[in-house]
Amino acid sequence: MKEGQPLRPEDHTEAPGPVPTGPNPTLRKSSILNWSGALAAAAVLVVPLWMLLSNRAVLGGHPALPTLLVAAVALGSVWALVLVRRRLFRGRQQRSGAISTWQLVRGIAGRLTVLGFVAALMWLSPFPHHPELGKTVPAYGPTATATAGSSATEDATSITVAPAGKATTGLVFYPGARVDAHAYQDLLQPLAAAGHLVVILKVPLGVSLLDTNQARAAMDRHPEIVSWAVGGHSLGGVSASSFAASNHDVAGLLLFASYPAENMKDAQGLAVLSISGSNDGLSTPDKIAASRSLLPPTTTYATVVGGVHAFFGDYGEQPGDGEPGISRNEAQQQIVAESLRFMDRLRASG
């Protein structure tokens, strides 16, 4: 210090840095993950629980779907408890360490995947059986035998409608996609009353393509049957066709508003009946006509004039279907009559 200059005290304080303004990026990212996680956990808990409690066809169908839904409810419950615990014990405290953009994107992608899974579960919700639609028993065909009565038994994977007497012919039937197996019971009961064994399958998750070989177990349970036919409605008919193509002990194929996915033109000794509706908006007449090249040349075709896709079962209206030009009961009388003639011919030839 130069002589004569006044002595000034040293300043030990540092100039304050800039005060942060605006939202904390880590806190914002954490909030996004927390709220999206809560939404996904609620969806995976509430939607499966709602399906289990509101749709009687879920618990009455194949056990695969209720098992999946119960597992989803358990997963959603655990996830919700974890979120609640984190909220209670950590409050609004900021998570230790910064959350990177990659962590945020990965977290959101995981939650969107969960929501996609929940949407898939909702799609799997089956069309339930509406018993009131099948109250009027369809008229029997001219070749049907007198009604001898029938009895129905049910297990986890099938509904069996057996005639009062001994049956030598049988039909294993695959339901349409996501349609309650019970929706076909009234329509196919006249076949059992006429002396044919009928087994309606409960298919896994309501999608028969998940187990196209399911008919084999039903056939093995009834060694007394001499001639077997397999059949199905819509996607169920695709599965039945696949089974008939690969199992040469099947004598008949009965298609309700359906057609095969593979070439069966050279199937030897296979009797085929295709019944369709002229006003079907799903298995349209054009699709049925295009499928003729896939079926044996001896295939019999029957068209229910004015019939629609949903008339081949008792489950109400179906999205995408056409407008009917005939009553449900009149259409089902024709379906039953043609099916009975087909099964009776199978019995006579066996």
Side-chain angles (χ1 to χ4, degrees):
M1 174 182 298
K2 293 183 179 180
E3 187 177 353
Q5 286 184 334
L7 182 63
R8 290 186 296 180
E10 296 182 5
D11 187 2
H12 295 284
T13 61
E14 297 180 358
V19 177
T21 59
N24 186 314
T26 296
L27 189 59
R28 184 174 64 250
K29 293 176 182 177
S30 177
S31 179
I32 292 173
L33 290 178
N34 287 338
W35 282 108
S36 61
L39 174 63
V44 80
L45 172 62
V46 173
V47 170
L49 191 60
W50 169 76
M51 290 173 61
L52 284 166
L53 297 178
S54 66
N55 192 339
R56 63 184 181 273
V58 171
L59 294 177
H62 192 283
L65 181 57
T67 299
L68 181 61
L69 293 176
V70 169
V73 170
L75 175 63
S77 301
V78 171
W79 194 354
L81 288 174
V82 170
L83 292 175
V84 170
R85 181 180 181 276
R86 181 180 300 171
R87 182 76 173 177
L88 291 176
F89 287 93
R90 300 182 66 175
R92 295 181 177 274
Q93 295 178 357
Q94 180 178 324
R95 293 177 56 184
S96 59
I99 298 176
S100 68
T101 302
W102 165 243
Q103 287 175 314
L104 178 63
V105 171
R106 185 177 59 187
I108 292 176
R111 286 152 175 76
L112 290 176
T113 300
V114 170
L115 292 176
F117 169 72
V118 173
L121 288 180
M122 292 179 65
W123 182 84
L124 289 174
S125 185
F127 295 102
H129 173 214
H130 292 291
E132 69 279 3
L133 297 178
K135 287 294 184 181
T136 303
V137 178
Y140 292 169
T143 63
T145 57
T147 302
S150 60
S151 60
T153 57
E154 183 174 345
D155 58 30
T157 58
S158 64
I159 302 169
T160 301
V161 189
K166 181 180 178 181
T168 58
T169 50
L171 170 69
V172 183
F173 193 86
Y174 291 81
R178 301 182 293 136
V179 179
D180 185 359
H182 298 86
Y184 301 95
Q185 189 169 339
D186 289 336
L187 188 61
L188 297 177
Q189 187 275 338
L191 275 65
H196 307 286
L197 179 73
V198 175
V199 181
I200 307 169
L201 299 175
K202 300 178 182 180
V203 297
L205 302 183
V207 181
S208 59
L209 291 179
L210 295 177
D211 187 7
T212 58
N213 203 46
Q214 192 177 351
R216 176 53 58 190
M219 293 167 62
D220 290 343
R221 287 197 301 268
H222 298 279
E224 74 279 6
I225 300 300
V226 176
S227 297
W228 279 106
V230 292
H233 173 218
S234 193
L235 187 65
V238 177
S239 298
S241 300
S242 177
F243 183 84
S246 57
N247 292 270
H248 301 296
D249 56 342
V250 174
L253 174 62
L254 177 60
L255 298 175
F256 283 2
S258 185
Y259 44 86
E262 56 191 292
N263 193 340
M264 303 178 63
K265 190 172 183 179
D266 297 327
Q268 298 293 327
L270 181 67
V272 183
L273 170 62
S274 172
I275 310 175
S276 58
S278 66
N279 291 19
D280 193 326
L282 299 172
S283 296
T284 63
D286 288 343
K287 292 179 180 178
I288 297 296
S291 70
R292 286 178 176 248
S293 62
L294 300 176
L295 289 168
T298 55
T299 298
T300 301
Y301 296 89
T303 302
V304 179
V305 178
V308 295
H309 203 76
F311 280 0
F312 289 86
D314 296 323
Y315 58 94
E317 297 180 356
Q318 187 166 355
D321 204 356
E323 291 294 327
I326 191 175
S327 73
R328 174 180 293 272
N329 189 58
E330 290 175 317
Q332 291 190 345
Q333 285 181 359
Q334 296 181 45
I335 294 168
V336 169
E338 294 291 345
S339 300
L340 277 171
R341 277 192 284 267
F342 176 74
M343 293 301 297
D344 285 346
R345 286 197 300 267
L346 199 66
R347 177 167 54 193
S349 63

